[in-house]
Amino acid sequence: MRAGKIAGVEIIVNNWFLGLIAVFAVAGLADKALLIVSAVLLHELAHMLMAGGLGYKVKQVELLPFGATARVERLADAGAVSEIMIAAAGPLASLGLAALCYAAAGVAGSWQEEIYFYGETHLMLAGFNLLPALPLDGGRILRAVLTRRRDYRAATAIVVTMSHIISCLLIVLAGLIFLFDHTVNLTMLVAAGFLLLTARTENTLAGFRTMRILARKKAELIACGIMPTRHLTAIEDAAISEVIALFGPEQYYIVHIVDQNFKLCGALTETEVWEGLLKKGIRARIKEFL
């Protein structure tokens, strides 16, 4: 559901988020629901400010049950460092706000209970978002770290698997709570269902990222006539999968191919590698592309 715009950024309210707020409202906790909404918005504001500081434009923010997702132009094309910085900004801001709340609660007087709750909300928001599951911040940070040694799609698949494991653990934990305490933890069950469904979407989108990045690089090169380039050297028998794993989103790549005597056999542009990959397959050797 579209809820309007703030500073030119469209705000979308996810149905899962509406359901969680409705549960609080039915339980007579509407005031706490408003505090949760504000905590989520502040968490996401930190992401937006970091993205803006790194030169990315935020187009849309979707409020989710335990955080939010900012849709940032060219974020999928960003390097690992930029993605880590943007993802980490939200949890760090929430942790900082939690500390402020706990410090202020001691001198808050009649507002002490509300401020403690607000601090706990920020703390839980940070803790949950740091779980290594997609689309949470912790999952994005882990994927960015994994892309240093793996291609984006493989890194996404690993984190999606972890997301499924975490979802199952949350369901088991909710079952144990019901077994021993005879209470249904709806929050935990909603979190498990949310992670199961959204992780699949992340896995699907990862497949389109490589071609999107290559198209952007080619467009920039045509428009500017020049762009930063990184040169790689590969032995002719090197697997093409090992070569493309080194391709990053922020530079164009030239691969120099040498034989066992280190004599230059030829060179391939990044475009030629990807186009050849469609014909030769992921199991091919780099020399087959010459």
Side-chain angles (χ1 to χ4, degrees), residues 50-82:
M50 180 60 74
L54 293 173
Y56 297 94
K57 181 180 178 181
V58 181
K59 296 179 63 178
Q60 190 182 82
V61 170
E62 183 176 6
L63 301 183
L64 304 171
F66 307 96
T69 297
R71 290 172 174 81
V72 184
E73 285 186 351
R74 299 186 299 108
L75 182 59
D77 304 343
V81 174
S82 295

Side-chain angles (χ1 to χ4, degrees), residues 24-201:
F24 274 85
V26 169
L29 302 171
D31 56 337
K32 286 183 169 55
L34 291 175
L35 290 176
I36 292 172
V37 171
S38 68
V40 170
L41 287 173
L42 289 172
H43 178 100
E44 201 57 33
L45 179 62
H47 288 306
M48 293 167 59
L49 290 174
M50 180 60 74
L54 293 173
Y56 297 94
K57 181 180 178 181
V58 181
K59 296 179 63 178
Q60 190 182 82
V61 170
E62 183 176 6
L63 301 183
L64 304 171
F66 307 96
T69 297
R71 290 172 174 81
V72 184
E73 285 186 351
R74 299 186 299 108
L75 182 59
D77 304 343
V81 174
S82 295
E83 187 166 7
I84 289 171
M85 291 176 66
I86 294 171
L92 288 175
S94 294
L95 288 172
L97 289 167
L100 286 174
C101 288
Y102 289 133
V107 294
S110 59
W111 290 90
Q112 187 178 61
E113 183 180 345
E114 286 78 7
I115 293 177
Y116 265 126
F117 174 80
Y118 201 40
E120 289 173 358
T121 300
H122 284 297
L123 191 60
M124 292 178 65
L125 192 61
F128 184 79
N129 273 278
L130 284 174
L131 289 175
L134 289 169
L136 304 179
D137 299 325
R140 296 189 182 282
I141 291 171
L142 176 59
R143 178 172 60 186
V145 171
L146 290 174
T147 56
R148 308 289 289 187
R149 294 188 174 276
R150 293 174 173 82
D151 66 84
Y152 188 86
R153 191 166 188 172
T156 299
I158 292 172
V159 185
V160 165
T161 299
M162 295 189 67
S163 303
H164 292 160
I165 293 171
I166 290 172
S167 298
C168 293
L169 289 175
L170 288 173
I171 293 171
V172 170
L173 186 57
L176 290 174
I177 291 173
F178 178 76
L179 182 64
F180 292 103
D181 198 37
H182 304 294
T183 57
V184 178
N185 193 314
L186 286 176
T187 302
M188 203 168 287
L189 291 174
V190 168
F194 168 72
L195 291 178
L196 278 173
L197 292 175
T198 53
R200 292 181 183 178
T201 303

